[in-house]
Amino acid sequence: MRIRRRNSVWLAIIGALTGIAVLSGVASAPVTAALLALFVVALIATLVEVQPRQILQSVSSSPLTMMKMSSQAREATERARRRSAYIPPGLTLLDIGLISLHSSFDGMVMRRGRSVSLDDRGVRPYITLSVGAAEADRHAIVRFEIIDSNGQTQYVHEMKTYLRDGEINVLADHLLPLAGNEKLREGEWDLRVMVDGAVLGLLSFTALPSIAARQRMIDREANAAAIRLQDEIEDDSPVSLHDLLRDDAQNRAQRR
């Protein structure tokens, strides 16, 4: 609810007229009570504006709905609220995450989690929404974005989704290729989800290096360790007797 001040002038006029009628004593007691009751109703209806969308939003964010939210959805929603003060009313994020596709001895396997490997074939984001009556029975544009550890947007996908009342699952129908994608680097990435341009969730996840990248890292560390060991051996090499005698003779010649 919010106060509507634009009608306060004419309401003051009505109040003054009602006060005159009551104080004049002409009106009977029942009529006076009726006038006062009507004035109070007019006062409430004029100064207070009920916003049904906010009421529906509070209903959709009921304790029962909040209990259904996953820990990832809570984190993603909180980060989204820090970025933007506007959250679409009637929409509650119940779950958010990634589904990766990777090879195994049993063939291609789908895995849901908060980390992906750059050896995986690809990854698809998903969300689960609780849709209130205010947002139901319409089409909305759901936008998925994946941002890498360098702040570069590596994936953008928009899809037109029909919002029906209740819980719905939205899975991106395109994947981000991972294996063999030379543009990608390991690190902490972000998944951002928007509905009709409003940020609904922002979730961080980990992109793990590929096996080839890990092997290159191990080889570089092994080479660096070998070079350090060689330098230490050369610095600690013993001095021969001939070198010691030569240095001693040179020192005596300099003292003369």
Side-chain angles (χ1 to χ4, degrees):
M1 296 186 295
R2 64 180 181 184
I3 303 299
R4 298 190 298 179
R5 301 183 183 277
R6 61 181 180 271
N7 298 326
S8 58
V9 175
W10 75 267
L11 182 65
I13 296 173
I14 294 177
L17 294 175
T18 303
I20 293 173
V22 171
L23 295 176
S24 64
V26 177
S28 62
V31 174
T32 300
L35 288 174
L36 291 175
L38 290 174
F39 176 74
V40 171
V41 172
L43 178 66
I44 296 174
T46 302
L47 293 182
V48 179
E49 179 182 6
V50 178
Q51 296 181 327
R53 290 177 67 88
Q54 289 188 357
I55 296 177
L56 290 173
Q57 182 178 5
S58 63
V59 171
S60 65
S61 300
S62 63
L64 180 60
T65 303
M66 298 293 290
M67 289 176 60
K68 294 181 180 180
M69 293 178 65
S70 67
S71 59
Q72 295 182 172
R74 295 177 188 276
E75 177 185 336
T77 301
E78 181 61 29
R79 288 189 63 191
R81 291 185 186 277
R82 291 199 298 265
R83 297 290 186 91
S84 174
Y86 175 72
I87 297 295
L91 295 179
T92 303
L93 186 66
L94 298 181
D95 196 14
I96 181 174
L98 301 151
I99 295 179
S100 58
L101 186 66
H102 68 282
S103 301
S104 70
F105 293 107
D106 298 326
M108 301 304 297
V109 178
M110 300 179 67
R111 180 185 68 243
R112 186 179 70 173
R114 196 166 172 175
S115 65
V116 298
S117 171
L118 296 184
D119 280 321
D120 292 339
R121 179 180 176 184
V123 63
R124 299 164 65 186
Y126 75 92
I127 57 172
T128 300
L129 290 176
S130 175
V131 182
E135 296 293 328
D137 303 326
R138 70 178 185 89
H139 285 92
I141 301 298
V142 179
R143 180 183 175 97
F144 296 98
E145 295 180 357
I146 295 179
I147 302 97
D148 66 14
S149 55
N150 294 322
Q152 300 295 320
T153 302
Q154 298 292 350
Y155 175 89
V156 176
H157 179 63
E158 290 186 350
M159 50 193 303
K160 192 174 183 180
T161 304
Y162 184 74
L163 302 180
R164 69 176 188 277
D165 190 13
E167 296 183 13
I168 62 171
N169 297 312
V170 183
L171 174 64
D173 48 19
H174 286 78
L175 58 78
L176 169 64
L178 297 176
N181 193 337
E182 298 296 333
K183 297 186 302 180
L184 305 181
R185 296 293 181 269
E186 67 275 3
E188 291 296 317
W189 291 17
D190 279 326
L191 167 63
R192 180 162 53 199
V193 180
M194 291 177 282
V195 177
D196 290 336
V199 179
L200 199 63
L202 188 60
L203 182 72
S204 64
F205 66 97
T206 304
L208 302 173
S210 63
I211 296 177
R214 296 177 196 176
Q215 187 60 49
R216 288 194 296 268
M217 293 171 58
I218 294 174
D219 292 341
R220 285 196 299 266
E221 292 176 357
N223 292 334
I227 293 174
R228 290 195 300 268
L229 180 60
Q230 182 64 30
D231 292 339
E232 292 175 359
I233 292 175
E234 292 178 354
D235 292 340
D236 296 337
S237 58
V239 181
S240 64
L241 178 60
H242 175 74
D243 292 335
L244 289 175
L245 294 176
R246 183 186 59 189
D247 293 340
D248 183 61
Q250 290 177 353
N251 291 333
R252 287 198 303 268
Q254 290 176 358
R255 287 197 296 270
R256 292 177 183 174

